[in-house]
Amino acid sequence: MSAPSPFDPLVEPAADLTREELERYSRHLTLTQFGPEGQRRLKNARVLVVGAGGLGAPALQYLAAAGVGTLGVVDDDVVSVSNLQRQVIHTVADVGRPKVDSAADAVARLNPLVTVRTHDTRLSTGNALEILGQYDLVLDGADNFATRYLVADAAELTGIPVVWGSILRFDGQVSVFWAGHGPVYRDLYPEAPPAGSVPSCAEGGVLGVLPATIGSVMATEALKLLTGLGAPLVGRVLVHDALAQTWRTLTVLPDPEREPVTDLSRVVVACGLPSPGDGAADRGDVSPAAPEAGVGTPPAGPSAVETVDATELARLLEARERGETAFTLVDVREDWERQLVSIPGSVPVPLDRLLTDGVRALPAGTEGDVVLHCKAGVRSAQALAALRADYALREDNLKHLDGGILAWIEDVDPSQPRY
């Protein structure tokens, strides 16, 4: 038998289980350490899942199947075809629907005894405390740094634990952050890395089955915290390498010099989140690198004068068509990406060639200004950094498209497919 948990259960037991609940959860009731009392605690629990995507999908399904009484899900995105490779809570019939609605329907089909609260909104400094304050525990399956820091700081202010997960390519991580009981997210990552220094799942890719592995571990940690079972991952980060099929545990200690969170202003300043009443939102789907890897000291990100937004690029392309300006639009993505969607008038030069050959990789006869673009802006920022020294000796301008072709689709041509 495992040692008792060092933490008390997060919730008190609910009233007696119904006959239907006794039958449904009989495999839990058979477990000596769990039993009817553990199931009654789950029935009384309120868990918020941030993100109905790759990590949220398996977590929501397993928490619902286990009998968590109230599940909240917050997400402002809609289901796209490219989600279906890993976000198994959604189906083809859900494409175009809000993810929270699709997830709620899936939970209802799986376990109608569970109450689902949907928050079809982007988590912001204006609503985070109100939303998190309704729950006993939060699972952070967010895909961008701004939301991760927002969840971490709001959880510290509300006093609830965070079950955190992260995935990228073939690797995943899980931990539990809980202010007052162990380290928090800022003890592991004090500040967000520079923009463009860490690839996103959209840019770097993710093995489709990996979210199931990490999401199920997150759900396990949630059940342990709710019922007071076992040793939660407080002060530990579980690191998974799917290719090697290995798991490693890293120790994380609270930073004694870290200033406690008193409000959400640090998130606004560091991550560009909208302040209360501000409708602006960050763009980008970023997952952090493995904690032991570090990101080094990346080249300086593009400055304002080195960046062009999608609507400005559209105007420049129209002006070029009329002969009023001249520039070269360079697509640094892979061939298969261009076959799926491309910006008219761009020329292909893969990032690897630019990083290896510099300006020599540009098409013969390229003169004048150059605008680089990729999918979301990370690879084009890398290409810009690689070419910056060469262009410092020229009078021509070098820019990159902020937000990449995803921004182009959103702001200029919504008819194009997202991926």
Side-chain angles (χ1 to χ4, degrees):
M1 181 179 296
S2 62
S5 173
F7 307 105
D8 293 332
L10 281 180
V11 294
E12 293 298 319
D16 290 340
L17 301 172
T18 66
R19 183 180 181 85
E20 182 180 2
E21 290 167 337
L22 292 172
E23 179 180 5
R24 178 180 283 269
Y25 307 124
S26 60
R27 296 301 187 273
H28 274 172
L29 307 182
T30 304
L31 296 171
T32 304
Q33 303 95 321
F34 200 95
E37 181 175 306
Q39 193 63 51
R40 288 163 53 209
R41 292 187 190 277
L42 293 188
K43 181 177 180 178
N44 211 25
R46 302 163 301 165
V47 175
L48 176 67
V49 177
V50 178
L55 293 173
L60 283 165
Q61 289 172 308
Y62 275 109
L63 292 174
V68 172
T70 300
L71 286 174
V73 54
V74 56
D75 200 314
D76 69 338
D77 199 6
V78 299
V79 180
S80 65
V81 172
S82 64
N83 297 150
L84 304 182
Q85 169 251 12
R86 63 204 176 281
Q87 299 178 17
V88 294
I89 203 167
H90 311 297
T91 69
V92 172
D94 296 311
V95 171
R97 296 184 65 202
K99 286 185 177 180
V100 293
D101 292 344
S102 171
D105 288 348
V107 168
R109 290 192 297 269
L110 178 61
N111 189 350
L113 304 180
V114 173
T115 298
V116 182
R117 299 175 182 170
T118 58
H119 305 275
D120 187 6
T121 183
R122 178 179 289 270
L123 207 63
S124 72
T125 56
N127 62 24
L129 293 176
E130 188 274 331
I131 292 177
L132 266 68
Q134 302 175 39
Y135 297 92
D136 305 301
L137 170 72
V138 57
L139 268 70
D140 181 6
D143 56 10
N144 61 82
F145 280 115
T147 304
R148 292 190 186 281
Y149 282 100
L150 180 60
V151 170
D153 288 358
E156 182 168 349
L157 291 172
T158 55
I160 66 175
V162 180
V163 178
W164 168 78
S166 175
I167 52 175
L168 181 63
R169 298 191 177 108
F170 303 98
D171 303 315
Q173 303 150 56
V174 185
S175 188
V176 174
F177 301 115
W178 195 359
H181 298 270
V184 299
Y185 185 68
R186 287 189 183 274
D187 290 314
L188 181 62
Y189 296 107
E191 301 292 343
S197 64
V198 180
S200 66
C201 287
E203 290 280 358
V206 61
L207 185 67
V209 298
L210 182 63
T213 304
I214 302 302
S216 63
V217 175
M218 294 172 69
T220 301
E221 291 302 298
L223 297 185
K224 287 158 59 180
L225 288 162
L226 294 169
T227 59
L229 284 177
L233 286 170
V234 176
R236 295 179 293 153
V237 179
L238 201 59
V239 181
H240 177 54
D241 180 340
L243 291 184
Q245 203 57 269
T246 58
W247 293 88
R248 293 182 297 129
T249 302
L250 305 178
T251 300
V252 181
L253 299 175
D255 181 357
E257 298 182 358
R258 182 183 68 87
E259 295 184 4
V261 173
T262 57
D263 56 42
L264 301 179
S265 60
R266 289 181 65 191
V267 184
V268 176
V269 172
C271 299
L273 267 180
S275 56
D278 185 353
D282 61 301
R283 190 200 304 269
D285 304 320
V286 181
S287 296
E292 77 279 11
V295 295
T297 304
S303 65
V305 297
E306 295 175 309
T307 301
V308 59
D309 64 31
T311 54
E312 183 181 356
L313 177 60
R315 289 194 295 268
L316 287 172
L317 288 170
E318 292 173 356
R320 189 178 72 173
E321 185 71 18
R322 296 191 298 266
E324 298 171 359
T325 188
F327 69 96
T328 302
L329 177 61
V330 177
D331 185 343
V332 306
R333 298 175 302 151
E334 299 298 321
D335 287 342
W336 71 265
E337 296 175 274
R338 289 179 53 81
Q339 293 173 22
L340 181 63
V341 55
S342 62
I343 299 177
S346 62
V347 295
V349 183
L351 175 63
D352 288 347
R353 286 184 54 199
L354 283 171
L355 296 180
T356 302
D357 300 331
V359 293
R360 297 186 303 276
L362 296 175
T366 297
E367 295 181 355
D369 298 346
V370 168
V371 177
L372 306 158
H373 92 80
C374 62
K375 178 180 180 179
V378 174
R379 283 174 286 177
S380 57
Q382 290 179 287
L384 188 147
L387 297 177
R388 185 182 281 131
D390 293 326
Y391 268 75
L393 305 176
R394 303 169 55 161
E395 296 182 356
D396 303 320
N397 292 316
L398 179 66
K399 297 177 182 287
H400 95 124
L401 175 60
D402 185 27
I405 203 165
L406 294 180
W408 176 270
I409 295 169
E410 181 174 337
D411 299 335
V412 178
D413 188 2
S415 67
Q416 297 276 16
R418 296 175 63 92
Y419 68 101

